[in-house]
Every structure is written in structure tokens, then in C-alpha cells.
Amino acid sequence: MIRIAFAAALLAAPAYASESKEQSCKYQGQVMAAVQQARLDRVKQEEVEQVILDNNPEWPEAYSNAIPQLASHVYTMKRRDLKETDLGALFEQQCLQNWDQIQAMQKQLKSN
């Protein structure tokens, strides 16, 4: 799950400049929760991004870049397992815990 958190955080990188750690991680958790809900609602994986975007999510647009990456992970999970776990809350928590690592990776990518 942490690998997915890093990938999503890096995809949403442009949004970080103007947001606090808490706000950014909250948005990332919201994106993950939306992907999880789409899976629980039996939205086809190839349609998940458009379905989520059609619902006008409240997070900044840059965070939507993570939807395909998150969907590829969430859609490998069994629906019954998804019913028992709040991936949005878990994702937000992991983001907060790994914030410094994520920031270091972003700086390294920008310098390359």
C-alpha cells in the first residue's frame, strides 16, 4: 500500500506547492475513497476515472491524475475485502506518516 501512496503522491505533485501536508493527504485520501467506492459500486475499471470526474470531486484537479494508478491497485482487490477496510482513511494516514519521504522523492525527481 505504501508503494501506491508514493505513486499517487508523486502524480499529484503539482498540487503540493499551495497546500499543507494535512490538506494534501486529505485530498489523496478522498481520491482513494472515491476509487474504492466506484469499485464497490461495480463501476468498470476502464470507466472509473470518468465516473469519478463526472461527480465533480472537491479535490484540486491535479489529484485526479492518481485515479488510474489507484484504480489499478484497488481493482485487484476482492470486493468483500474492500467492504471491511476504509482505504481513504488508511491512505491519508500513510501519506501523513510518509510525508517527508514523499517530499524527498519529489525533489529528487525535479532535479533529474
Coordinates of all heavy atoms in Angstrom, one line a residue, residues 5-64:
A5 N 0.8 4.6 -2.3 CA 0.8 6.0 -1.7 C 1.8 6.9 -2.4 O 1.6 8.0 -2.7 CB 0.9 6.0 -0.2
F6 N 3.1 6.4 -2.5 CA 4.1 7.1 -3.1 C 3.8 7.5 -4.5 O 4.0 8.6 -5.0 CB 5.5 6.4 -3.1 CG 6.1 6.4 -1.7 CD1 6.9 5.3 -1.3 CD2 6.0 7.5 -0.9 CE1 7.5 5.3 -0.1 CE2 6.6 7.5 0.4 CZ 7.4 6.4 0.8
A7 N 3.3 6.5 -5.3 CA 3.0 6.8 -6.7 C 1.9 7.8 -6.8 O 2.0 8.8 -7.6 CB 2.5 5.5 -7.4
A8 N 0.9 7.7 -6.0 CA -0.2 8.7 -6.1 C 0.3 10.1 -5.6 O -0.1 11.1 -6.2 CB -1.4 8.3 -5.2
A9 N 1.1 10.1 -4.6 CA 1.6 11.4 -4.1 C 2.5 12.0 -5.2 O 2.4 13.3 -5.4 CB 2.4 11.2 -2.9
L10 N 3.3 11.3 -5.9 CA 4.1 11.8 -6.9 C 3.3 12.3 -8.1 O 3.6 13.3 -8.8 CB 5.2 10.8 -7.4 CG 6.2 10.5 -6.3 CD1 7.1 9.3 -6.8 CD2 7.0 11.7 -6.0
L11 N 2.2 11.6 -8.4 CA 1.4 12.0 -9.5 C 0.6 13.3 -9.2 O 0.3 14.1 -10.1 CB 0.3 10.9 -9.8 CG 0.9 9.7 -10.5 CD1 -0.2 8.6 -10.5 CD2 1.3 10.0 -11.9
A12 N 0.4 13.5 -8.0 CA -0.4 14.7 -7.5 C 0.6 15.9 -7.2 O 0.2 16.9 -6.7 CB -1.2 14.4 -6.3
A13 N 1.9 15.7 -7.4 CA 2.9 16.6 -7.0 C 2.6 18.1 -7.3 O 2.9 18.9 -6.5 CB 4.2 16.2 -7.6
P14 N 2.1 18.5 -8.5 CA 1.9 19.9 -8.7 C 1.0 20.6 -7.7 O 1.1 21.8 -7.5 CB 1.3 20.0 -10.1 CG 1.6 18.7 -10.7 CD 1.7 17.7 -9.6
A15 N 0.2 19.9 -7.1 CA -0.8 20.5 -6.1 C -0.1 20.8 -4.8 O -0.7 21.6 -4.0 CB -1.9 19.5 -5.9
Y16 N 1.0 20.2 -4.5 CA 1.6 20.4 -3.2 C 2.1 21.8 -2.9 O 2.1 22.2 -1.7 CB 2.8 19.5 -3.0 CG 2.4 18.1 -2.8 CD1 3.2 17.1 -3.3 CD2 1.3 17.7 -2.1 CE1 2.9 15.7 -3.2 CE2 0.9 16.4 -2.0 CZ 1.7 15.4 -2.5 OH 1.4 14.1 -2.4
A17 N 2.4 22.6 -3.8 CA 3.0 23.9 -3.6 C 2.1 24.8 -2.7 O 2.6 25.5 -1.9 CB 3.3 24.6 -4.9
S18 N 0.8 24.7 -2.9 CA 0.0 25.6 -2.2 C -0.8 25.0 -1.1 O -1.7 25.6 -0.4 CB -1.0 26.2 -3.2 OG -1.8 25.2 -3.7
E19 N -0.6 23.7 -0.7 CA -1.3 23.0 0.3 C -0.5 22.5 1.4 O 0.7 22.1 1.2 CB -2.1 21.9 -0.4 CG -3.3 22.4 -1.2 CD -3.5 21.5 -2.4 OE1 -3.0 20.5 -2.5 OE2 -4.3 22.0 -3.3
S20 N -1.0 22.4 2.6 CA -0.4 21.9 3.7 C -0.3 20.4 3.6 O -1.0 19.8 2.8 CB -1.1 22.3 5.0 OG -2.3 21.6 5.1
K21 N 0.5 19.8 4.4 CA 0.6 18.3 4.4 C -0.7 17.7 4.7 O -1.2 16.8 4.1 CB 1.7 17.9 5.5 CG 1.7 16.5 5.9 CD 2.8 16.1 6.8 CE 2.6 16.3 8.2 NZ 3.6 15.7 9.1
E22 N -1.4 18.3 5.7 CA -2.7 17.7 6.1 C -3.7 17.8 5.0 O -4.5 16.9 4.8 CB -3.2 18.4 7.4 CG -2.4 18.1 8.6 CD -1.1 18.8 8.7 OE1 -0.8 19.8 7.9 OE2 -0.2 18.4 9.5
Q23 N -3.8 19.0 4.3 CA -4.7 19.2 3.3 C -4.4 18.2 2.1 O -5.3 17.6 1.5 CB -4.7 20.6 2.8 CG -5.9 20.9 1.8 CD -7.3 20.7 2.5 OE1 -7.5 21.3 3.5 NE2 -8.1 20.0 1.9
S24 N -3.2 18.1 1.7 CA -2.8 17.3 0.6 C -3.1 15.8 0.9 O -3.7 15.1 0.0 CB -1.3 17.5 0.3 OG -0.9 16.6 -0.8
C25 N -2.8 15.4 2.1 CA -3.1 14.0 2.4 C -4.6 13.7 2.5 O -5.0 12.7 2.1 CB -2.4 13.6 3.7 SG -0.6 13.5 3.6
K26 N -5.3 14.7 2.9 CA -6.8 14.6 3.0 C -7.3 14.4 1.5 O -8.1 13.5 1.3 CB -7.4 15.8 3.6 CG -8.9 15.8 3.6 CD -9.5 17.1 4.2 CE -11.0 17.2 4.0 NZ -11.5 18.5 4.3
Y27 N -6.8 15.2 0.6 CA -7.3 15.1 -0.8 C -6.9 13.7 -1.3 O -7.7 13.1 -2.0 CB -6.6 16.2 -1.7 CG -7.2 17.5 -1.5 CD1 -6.3 18.6 -1.5 CD2 -8.5 17.8 -1.2 CE1 -6.8 19.9 -1.4 CE2 -9.0 19.1 -1.0 CZ -8.2 20.1 -1.1 OH -8.6 21.4 -0.9
Q28 N -5.7 13.2 -1.0 CA -5.3 11.9 -1.5 C -6.2 10.8 -1.0 O -6.6 9.9 -1.7 CB -3.8 11.7 -1.2 CG -2.9 12.6 -1.9 CD -1.5 12.3 -1.6 OE1 -1.0 11.2 -1.7 NE2 -0.7 13.3 -1.2
G29 N -6.5 11.0 0.3 CA -7.5 10.0 0.9 C -8.8 10.0 0.3 O -9.5 9.0 0.0
Q30 N -9.3 11.2 -0.1 CA -10.6 11.4 -0.8 C -10.6 10.7 -2.2 O -11.5 10.1 -2.6 CB -11.0 12.8 -0.9 CG -11.3 13.5 0.4 CD -11.5 15.0 0.2 OE1 -11.2 15.6 -0.8 NE2 -12.1 15.6 1.2
V31 N -9.4 10.8 -2.9 CA -9.3 10.2 -4.2 C -9.4 8.7 -4.0 O -10.1 8.0 -4.7 CB -8.0 10.6 -4.9 CG1 -7.9 9.8 -6.2 CG2 -8.0 12.1 -5.2
M32 N -8.6 8.2 -3.0 CA -8.6 6.7 -2.8 C -10.0 6.2 -2.4 O -10.5 5.2 -2.9 CB -7.6 6.4 -1.7 CG -7.7 4.9 -1.3 SD -7.4 3.7 -2.7 CE -5.6 3.5 -2.5
A33 N -10.7 7.0 -1.6 CA -12.1 6.6 -1.1 C -13.0 6.6 -2.3 O -13.9 5.7 -2.4 CB -12.6 7.6 -0.1
A34 N -12.9 7.5 -3.2 CA -13.7 7.6 -4.4 C -13.5 6.4 -5.3 O -14.4 5.8 -5.9 CB -13.5 8.9 -5.2
V35 N -12.2 6.0 -5.5 CA -11.9 4.8 -6.3 C -12.5 3.5 -5.6 O -13.1 2.7 -6.3 CB -10.4 4.7 -6.5 CG1 -10.0 3.3 -7.2 CG2 -9.9 5.8 -7.3
Q36 N -12.3 3.4 -4.3 CA -12.8 2.3 -3.6 C -14.4 2.2 -3.7 O -14.9 1.2 -4.0 CB -12.5 2.4 -2.1 CG -13.0 1.2 -1.3 CD -12.7 1.3 0.2 OE1 -12.1 2.4 0.7 NE2 -12.9 0.3 0.9
Q37 N -15.0 3.4 -3.6 CA -16.5 3.4 -3.7 C -16.9 3.0 -5.1 O -17.9 2.3 -5.3 CB -17.1 4.7 -3.3 CG -18.6 4.7 -3.2 CD -19.1 3.7 -2.2 OE1 -18.7 3.8 -1.0 NE2 -20.0 2.8 -2.6
A38 N -16.2 3.4 -6.1 CA -16.5 3.1 -7.5 C -16.4 1.5 -7.7 O -17.3 0.9 -8.3 CB -15.6 3.8 -8.5
R39 N -15.4 1.0 -7.1 CA -15.2 -0.5 -7.2 C -16.4 -1.2 -6.5 O -16.9 -2.2 -7.0 CB -13.9 -0.9 -6.5 CG -13.6 -2.4 -6.4 CD -13.3 -3.0 -7.7 NE -12.9 -4.4 -7.5 CZ -13.6 -5.4 -7.8 NH1 -14.8 -5.3 -8.3 NH2 -13.2 -6.7 -7.6
L40 N -16.7 -0.7 -5.3 CA -17.9 -1.3 -4.6 C -19.2 -1.1 -5.3 O -20.1 -2.0 -5.2 CB -18.0 -0.7 -3.2 CG -16.8 -1.1 -2.2 CD1 -16.9 -0.2 -0.9 CD2 -16.9 -2.5 -1.9
D41 N -19.3 -0.1 -6.1 CA -20.5 0.2 -6.9 C -20.5 -0.5 -8.2 O -21.4 -0.3 -9.1 CB -20.6 1.7 -7.1 CG -21.0 2.5 -5.9 OD1 -21.4 1.9 -4.9 OD2 -20.8 3.7 -5.9
R42 N -19.5 -1.3 -8.4 CA -19.3 -2.2 -9.6 C -19.1 -1.4 -10.9 O -19.5 -1.8 -12.0 CB -20.5 -3.1 -9.8 CG -20.7 -4.1 -8.7 CD -21.8 -5.0 -8.9 NE -22.1 -5.8 -7.7 CZ -21.6 -7.0 -7.5 NH1 -20.7 -7.5 -8.3 NH2 -22.0 -7.7 -6.4
V43 N -18.5 -0.2 -10.8 CA -18.1 0.6 -11.9 C -16.9 -0.2 -12.6 O -16.0 -0.6 -11.9 CB -17.6 2.0 -11.5 CG1 -17.0 2.8 -12.7 CG2 -18.8 2.8 -10.9
K44 N -17.0 -0.3 -13.9 CA -15.9 -1.0 -14.7 C -14.6 -0.2 -14.5 O -14.7 1.0 -14.5 CB -16.3 -1.1 -16.1 CG -17.5 -2.0 -16.4 CD -17.8 -2.1 -17.8 CE -19.0 -3.0 -18.0 NZ -19.4 -3.1 -19.5
Q45 N -13.5 -0.9 -14.4 CA -12.2 -0.2 -14.2 C -11.9 0.8 -15.3 O -11.4 1.9 -15.0 CB -11.1 -1.2 -14.1 CG -9.8 -0.6 -13.8 CD -8.7 -1.6 -13.5 OE1 -8.9 -2.8 -13.5 NE2 -7.4 -1.1 -13.4
E46 N -12.3 0.5 -16.6 CA -12.0 1.4 -17.7 C -12.8 2.6 -17.6 O -12.5 3.6 -18.3 CB -12.0 0.7 -19.0 CG -13.4 0.1 -19.3 CD -13.5 -1.4 -18.8 OE1 -12.7 -1.9 -18.1 OE2 -14.6 -2.0 -19.2
E47 N -13.9 2.6 -16.8 CA -14.8 3.8 -16.7 C -14.6 4.5 -15.4 O -15.2 5.6 -15.2 CB -16.2 3.3 -16.8 CG -16.6 2.7 -18.1 CD -18.0 2.1 -18.2 OE1 -18.7 2.2 -17.2 OE2 -18.3 1.4 -19.2
V48 N -13.8 4.0 -14.5 CA -13.7 4.6 -13.1 C -13.3 6.1 -13.1 O -13.9 6.9 -12.4 CB -12.9 3.7 -12.2 CG1 -11.4 3.8 -12.5 CG2 -13.1 4.1 -10.7
E49 N -12.3 6.4 -13.9 CA -11.8 7.8 -13.9 C -12.9 8.8 -14.3 O -13.2 9.8 -13.7 CB -10.6 8.0 -14.8 CG -10.0 9.4 -14.7 CD -8.7 9.5 -15.5 OE1 -8.4 8.6 -16.3 OE2 -8.0 10.5 -15.2
Q50 N -13.6 8.4 -15.4 CA -14.7 9.3 -15.9 C -15.8 9.4 -15.0 O -16.4 10.5 -14.8 CB -15.1 8.9 -17.3 CG -16.0 9.9 -18.0 CD -15.2 11.2 -18.2 OE1 -14.1 11.3 -18.7 NE2 -15.8 12.3 -17.7
V51 N -16.2 8.3 -14.4 CA -17.3 8.3 -13.4 C -17.0 9.2 -12.2 O -17.9 10.0 -11.8 CB -17.7 6.8 -13.0 CG1 -18.6 6.8 -11.8 CG2 -18.3 6.0 -14.1
I52 N -15.8 9.1 -11.7 CA -15.4 9.9 -10.6 C -15.4 11.4 -11.0 O -15.9 12.2 -10.3 CB -14.1 9.5 -10.0 CG1 -14.2 8.1 -9.3 CG2 -13.5 10.5 -9.0 CD1 -12.9 7.5 -8.9
L53 N -14.8 11.7 -12.1 CA -14.7 13.1 -12.6 C -16.1 13.7 -12.9 O -16.3 14.8 -12.6 CB -13.8 13.2 -13.8 CG -12.3 12.8 -13.5 CD1 -11.5 12.9 -14.8 CD2 -11.7 13.7 -12.4
D54 N -17.0 12.8 -13.4 CA -18.4 13.3 -13.7 C -19.1 13.7 -12.4 O -20.1 14.4 -12.5 CB -19.2 12.2 -14.4 CG -18.8 12.1 -15.9 OD1 -18.0 12.9 -16.4 OD2 -19.2 11.1 -16.5
N55 N -18.7 13.2 -11.2 CA -19.3 13.6 -10.0 C -18.7 14.8 -9.4 O -19.0 15.1 -8.2 CB -19.2 12.4 -9.0 CG -20.2 11.3 -9.4 OD1 -21.3 11.5 -9.7 ND2 -19.7 10.0 -9.3
N56 N -17.9 15.5 -10.1 CA -17.3 16.8 -9.7 C -16.7 16.7 -8.3 O -17.1 17.3 -7.4 CB -18.3 17.9 -9.7 CG -18.9 18.1 -11.1 OD1 -18.1 18.2 -12.1 ND2 -20.2 18.3 -11.2
P57 N -15.6 16.0 -8.2 CA -15.0 15.8 -6.9 C -14.5 17.2 -6.3 O -14.2 18.1 -7.1 CB -13.8 14.9 -7.1 CG -13.5 15.0 -8.6 CD -14.8 15.3 -9.2
E58 N -14.3 17.3 -5.0 CA -14.0 18.5 -4.4 C -12.5 18.8 -4.3 O -12.0 19.8 -3.9 CB -14.6 18.6 -3.0 CG -16.1 18.6 -3.0 CD -16.7 18.7 -1.6 OE1 -16.0 19.1 -0.7 OE2 -17.9 18.5 -1.5
W59 N -11.7 17.8 -4.6 CA -10.2 18.0 -4.6 C -9.7 18.7 -5.8 O -10.4 18.7 -6.9 CB -9.5 16.6 -4.4 CG -9.8 15.6 -5.5 CD1 -9.3 15.6 -6.8 CD2 -10.6 14.5 -5.5 NE1 -9.8 14.6 -7.5 CE2 -10.6 13.9 -6.7 CE3 -11.4 13.9 -4.5 CZ2 -11.3 12.7 -7.0 CZ3 -12.2 12.8 -4.8 CH2 -12.1 12.2 -6.0
P60 N -8.5 19.3 -5.7 CA -8.0 20.0 -6.9 C -7.7 19.0 -8.0 O -7.4 17.9 -7.8 CB -6.6 20.6 -6.3 CG -6.9 20.7 -4.9 CD -7.8 19.6 -4.5
E61 N -7.8 19.6 -9.2 CA -7.7 18.7 -10.4 C -6.5 17.9 -10.5 O -6.5 16.7 -10.9 CB -7.8 19.6 -11.6 CG -7.9 18.9 -13.0 CD -8.0 19.9 -14.1 OE1 -8.4 21.0 -14.0 OE2 -7.6 19.5 -15.2
A62 N -5.3 18.4 -10.0 CA -4.1 17.6 -10.1 C -4.2 16.2 -9.4 O -3.5 15.3 -9.8 CB -2.9 18.4 -9.5
Y63 N -5.0 16.2 -8.4 CA -5.1 14.9 -7.6 C -5.8 13.8 -8.4 O -5.6 12.6 -8.2 CB -5.8 15.1 -6.3 CG -5.0 15.9 -5.3 CD1 -5.0 17.3 -5.3 CD2 -4.1 15.2 -4.4 CE1 -4.2 18.0 -4.4 CE2 -3.3 15.9 -3.6 CZ -3.4 17.3 -3.5 OH -2.5 18.0 -2.7
S64 N -6.6 14.2 -9.4 CA -7.3 13.2 -10.3 C -6.3 12.4 -11.1 O -6.6 11.4 -11.6 CB -8.3 13.9 -11.2 OG -9.3 14.5 -10.4

